[in-house]
Amino acid sequence: MPRIFQKISMFFVLLLLTGCATTGIDSPPALQIGTALEPFEIRGVLQKDLQLGGVIRLTGDLFIPLGRSLYIAPGSRLLVVGNDSTKIDPEFLDKGTEILVKGRLAIAGRQMAPVTLSLDESTPAGENWAGIELVGAESVLLSHVDILDAEIGILSLNSSVQLVQVNILGSRYGLLMQGGGQLVYKGGRISGGDAGLLCFDRSALNLSQVSIVDNLEEGLYLARGCSLEQQDLKIERNDLGLIASETYRNGLQPSLRDNRIDFKSLPVETLP
Amino acid sequence: MRVLLIFLFLLLPVSALAIEYHGENTLYEDTVWQGEVLIDGILTIAMGATLEIRPGTRVRFTRIDSNDDGIGESEIFAQGRFIARGSKEQPVIFTSAEKNPAPGDWGALNMMMSESGENLLEHCLVEYGYRGFHSHFSIARLQASTFRYNQRGSQFQESTVAISDCDFSQNFNGLQFRDSKVLIENSRVSDNHWGIRAVYVELRMSGNRIEGNRINGISLRDSKLQLDDNLVTDNRRGIYLQRSEGKLTGNRITNNREHGIYLEDSVATVQGNLIRSNGRSGLKLLAAGGLIEHNRIEQNVEFSFYNAGDEDFNVGPNWYGSAERKPELMDGRSREGLGLLLVAPSLLRQPEVKTF
């Protein structure tokens, strides 16, 4: 198909899909579309708000500063060029390719048009990418998204996150909440990594219809100070299913199945 | 007489007057600052010249960000010698000139190829810079100084740096350096993202508090570390060595959210430490070697030791809370493909940990 027709057809598909999307961003800028032949390439500091769709190629670290917004439209494929020594100024957190967010990020997939974030085929074998890192981020909403092969699928430092139908697969850590903030996670799966969901410090988790399965180490880790509300949570076939205060043992018993050790209690603190 | 007066005038500190530098300027002569200084651009100290900054001086940098990359460009660029010597009562202050200051408002105190004499920051407060202190091919001593609210408290390459009684707190990252020889004593590195992050270095640390950093407390790759009598607490990971050698003695490595010590492709001697209440394992070992003995390893949430590699590892005698108590292990007995942990009998008496 000639390139111009590809672009036109992609435009109309995205137009239909984006019609009613709730982005969390008041007025997204004009949609810019990449194609398999001509992906939209992005890296560096986001200098203005962007709305991207189609095939997007992340060729290096991306930093979304405070006050700026990135919106990814339904059906997009974000291909990350994995690199073990990327750096971005003014700051970076990981040596791998990362999306560092202090501003606003909305990835608005749909059931029939999910968004995938995965490694670009040019990535050297054995390398992954750092993942999405939130540092006091203003607003983060991911809907119908698959995150594949990251070091930490989503690292949230002092940030609040809304996830709807998000799968984090094959990442070393699925989701790490640290330093406070709220996670509302409705539907999805964290699977195939070392650790599933780790909550440190004092974050508040609200999980419904989430499966944390088949991770080599922990399924769900709830440090002291974290709180959990859940509905239809599954923690299955991990090494350690749930690490938490004793108070969670009974309430979460129905969620725990076929882990090597279903429950491990945080030790009672004693003075050294 | 006229020559003598001119000579005396040059030696006098530029006091009382507020001195301002706009655009690109170079100091070719020895210069003394005391009082208020404004830098609105790049100020170079030429090779052979010395800038001396006296107690109570406040140096302010305007924010210039011509390429909109979030990094301020006003800075001091020392190819000569840089001596900022405040006092406890009257520190030298390097700060932003902005009404609402923010990290990265100005560039750095840069030492470049400044090896003719030791550069010094003593009793200084360095804040709102991109890199508070920055050097290449230089010799420097940082003493009794505070680095806060910078993007990076300190960053250096190919340098020899001695740091004592300093505080690196609430920077985006605390200290990062490479290809350098570094001594850090009696200092605090706290509440940054990365605490200390380095590659290809020789690092000796004693009497420090490394606490509350949101990623790793101490993270080294391809390096040598000697760590004596430090407190490493409340970071995400305490100490992470990759392809490195370490000697860790008499430290308290406690309450880190993940592993107390993580050795990856590294060899370490770990003796006489308290490794306690870390959130995942006390020590995680991946293709690691060395000696682990006479430590107190207690109340780590998941495991005392986690052997994530495929080779067996011999663990020496340690104390696990009581003479009868055995360590909790994660190894090839629990997961196929992992090496075994071959653990010596527990110590019969609790060893001393002599942390400061």
Side-chain angles (χ1 to χ4, degrees):
Chain A
M1 190 189 299
R3 196 172 293 173
I4 185 70
F5 291 117
Q6 273 191 345
K7 280 194 172 179
I8 291 169
S9 58
M10 176 65 86
F11 175 77
F12 280 107
V13 168
L14 288 168
L15 200 64
L16 283 170
L17 293 171
T18 52
C20 310
T22 304
T23 64
I25 298 172
D26 297 336
S27 51
L31 179 64
Q32 299 185 66
I33 300 166
T35 65
L37 289 174
E38 279 186 45
F40 188 99
E41 296 206 334
I42 186 168
R43 67 184 296 170
V45 179
L46 194 72
Q47 300 287 1
K48 58 180 183 181
D49 292 355
L50 278 183
Q51 183 184 191
L52 304 177
V55 182
I56 304 152
R57 200 158 172 261
L58 187 66
T59 55
D61 291 350
L62 177 67
F63 174 45
I64 305 171
L66 212 61
R68 304 246 166 84
S69 304
L70 175 65
Y71 169 77
I72 308 284
S76 300
R77 281 195 298 143
L78 198 151
L79 303 171
V80 183
V81 179
N83 184 326
D84 205 25
S85 59
T86 62
K87 294 173 183 169
I88 183 169
D89 285 326
E91 268 314 337
F92 58 96
L93 281 181
D94 197 280
K95 58 188 169 58
T97 312
E98 62 201 283
I99 301 174
L100 179 62
V101 184
K102 287 189 175 176
R104 297 182 288 269
L105 173 67
I107 305 182
R110 298 196 155 204
Q111 190 170 2
M112 302 304 289
V115 173
T116 58
L117 286 76
S118 61
L119 283 170
D120 184 79
E121 61 185 14
S122 66
T123 302
E127 285 193 11
N128 58 7
W129 63 293
I132 300 172
E133 299 161 347
L134 316 173
V135 179
E138 289 175 282
S139 147
V140 180
L141 168 64
L142 275 63
S143 175
H144 294 88
V145 177
D146 292 339
I147 300 172
L148 310 176
D149 303 322
E151 181 66 22
I152 304 179
I154 299 171
L155 166 63
S156 171
L157 299 168
N158 296 306
S159 302
S160 289
V161 193
Q162 288 184 67
L163 307 178
V164 179
Q165 294 298 334
V166 171
N167 300 313
I168 304 175
L169 309 173
S171 299
R172 189 182 301 277
Y173 296 57
L175 216 160
L176 200 157
M177 297 291 296
Q178 192 179 335
Q182 191 181 25
L183 168 68
V184 178
Y185 190 174
K186 292 182 181 172
R189 183 163 59 100
I190 304 176
S191 180
D194 283 358
L197 199 168
L198 306 180
C199 178
F200 298 127
D201 308 323
R202 57 197 177 281
S203 299
L205 312 185
N206 186 326
L207 312 179
S208 59
Q209 296 183 315
V210 171
S211 299
I212 305 173
V213 297
D214 297 312
N215 296 290
L216 273 177
E217 298 175 359
E218 304 90 336
L220 175 60
Y221 186 114
L222 290 177
R224 246 174 268 286
C226 289
S227 66
L228 172 69
E229 288 179 39
Q230 62 84 25
Q231 199 177 357
D232 297 331
L233 174 64
K234 285 183 183 166
I235 304 173
E236 300 176 357
R237 301 184 302 278
N238 306 284
D239 184 61
L240 302 177
L242 172 66
I243 299 99
S245 300
E246 193 63 38
T247 49
Y248 283 103
R249 184 197 289 261
N250 289 339
L252 287 174
Q253 201 65 52
S255 298
L256 298 165
R257 190 177 300 169
D258 298 330
N259 303 286
R260 183 176 69 85
I261 298 171
D262 273 339
F263 180 81
K264 187 161 178 115
S265 177
L266 296 174
V268 177
E269 291 284 313
T270 58
L271 291 173
Chain B
M1 183 64 184
R2 196 173 160 189
V3 172
L4 181 64
L5 280 174
I6 291 170
F7 180 70
L8 286 172
F9 178 77
L10 285 174
L11 282 182
L12 279 174
V14 185
S15 58
L17 303 170
I19 187 166
E20 297 188 1
Y21 298 91
H22 297 277
E24 292 196 15
N25 291 277
T26 301
L27 302 176
Y28 292 102
E29 305 284 341
D30 290 356
T31 304
V32 177
W33 287 348
Q34 187 160 39
E36 291 286 326
V37 179
L38 181 77
I39 298 179
D40 174 36
I42 297 173
L43 179 69
T44 300
I45 304 166
M47 208 173 284
T50 297
L51 171 62
E52 181 191 342
I53 308 176
R54 295 197 172 161
T57 301
R58 186 170 68 144
V59 182
R60 295 179 306 131
F61 297 84
T62 58
R63 181 177 178 84
I64 303 169
D65 184 7
S66 58
N67 58 358
D68 202 25
D69 65 355
I71 302 168
E73 289 150 27
S74 292
E75 65 179 23
I76 292 175
F77 189 86
Q79 293 176 306
R81 200 164 169 203
F82 179 89
I83 298 174
R85 185 181 277 124
S87 65
K88 194 173 180 183
E89 296 75 26
Q90 290 188 294
V92 173
I93 298 172
F94 299 91
T95 189
S96 167
E98 299 304 300
K99 197 173 173 186
N100 297 307
D105 271 353
W106 56 282
L109 304 174
N110 272 310
M111 319 287 135
M112 293 291 155
M113 309 282 287
S114 179
E115 293 182 298
S116 55
E118 184 182 69
N119 298 286
L120 173 69
L121 277 81
E122 182 177 0
H123 288 295
C124 293
L125 169 63
V126 182
E127 59 183 12
Y128 301 114
Y130 171 51
R131 303 168 173 123
F133 167 80
H134 183 222
S135 80
H136 280 260
F137 299 104
S138 299
I139 300 169
R141 183 155 54 97
L142 313 180
Q143 194 168 315
S145 293
T146 296
F147 300 79
R148 67 181 185 190
Y149 315 144
N150 303 286
Q151 291 285 11
R152 297 171 198 167
S154 185
Q155 179 178 352
F156 40 90
Q157 288 98 317
E158 296 93 9
S159 294
T160 301
V161 180
I163 298 169
S164 59
D165 301 296
C166 285
D167 191 339
F168 296 84
S169 296
Q170 299 183 65
N171 304 284
F172 191 88
N173 291 330
L175 293 105
Q176 60 189 72
F177 42 93
R178 61 181 300 149
D179 297 291
S180 294
K181 199 168 178 180
V182 183
L183 172 67
I184 307 177
E185 295 176 307
N186 306 319
S187 294
R188 189 167 77 121
V189 181
S190 70
D191 301 307
N192 309 285
H193 285 92
W194 293 81
I196 295 172
R197 182 184 202 184
V199 293
Y200 304 114
V201 300
E202 271 186 63
L203 172 61
R204 281 193 296 137
M205 295 179 62
S206 66
N208 301 288
R209 299 175 68 92
I210 313 298
E211 59 185 325
N213 298 290
R214 289 174 284 280
I215 314 285
N216 298 340
I218 301 169
S219 192
L220 301 189
R221 178 165 61 78
D222 297 296
S223 295
K224 286 185 180 175
L225 171 68
Q226 184 173 334
L227 196 69
D228 300 314
D229 307 331
N230 300 276
L231 175 65
V232 182
T233 188
D234 201 29
N235 308 286
R236 192 159 96 211
R237 285 185 192 136
I239 299 158
Y240 180 32
L241 300 186
Q242 262 185 310
R243 297 197 298 268
S244 295
E245 293 172 31
K247 187 168 185 205
L248 286 61
T249 310
N251 304 284
R252 287 176 184 257
I253 302 160
T254 63
N255 294 96
N256 297 289
R257 292 166 180 79
E258 294 197 36
H259 314 289
I261 300 172
Y262 185 176
L263 304 177
E264 181 178 342
D265 295 313
S266 296
V267 176
T269 300
V270 181
Q271 291 173 315
N273 302 282
L274 175 67
I275 304 169
R276 188 178 200 278
S277 298
N278 297 291
R280 298 177 78 190
S281 57
L283 292 101
K284 182 172 179 179
L285 309 162
L286 176 58
L291 193 61
I292 301 173
E293 62 178 16
H294 299 281
N295 302 286
R296 287 174 56 188
I297 302 174
E298 304 166 1
Q299 294 193 31
N300 297 290
V301 172
E302 294 180 4
F303 311 107
S304 310
F305 302 104
Y306 174 9
N307 186 359
D310 54 11
E311 303 264 317
D312 295 350
F313 189 98
N314 289 294
V315 178
N318 294 285
W319 174 263
Y320 302 104
S322 73
E324 298 75 37
R325 199 173 179 112
K326 291 184 174 161
E328 294 182 286
L329 306 179
M330 175 68 186
D331 65 1
R333 297 174 187 92
S334 308
R335 190 195 308 159
E336 201 176 327
L338 299 184
L340 296 177
L341 288 158
L342 307 170
V343 182
S346 304
L347 292 172
L348 298 175
R349 295 172 66 181
Q350 177 176 299
E352 285 290 314
V353 174
K354 58 167 186 152
T355 311
F356 64 100

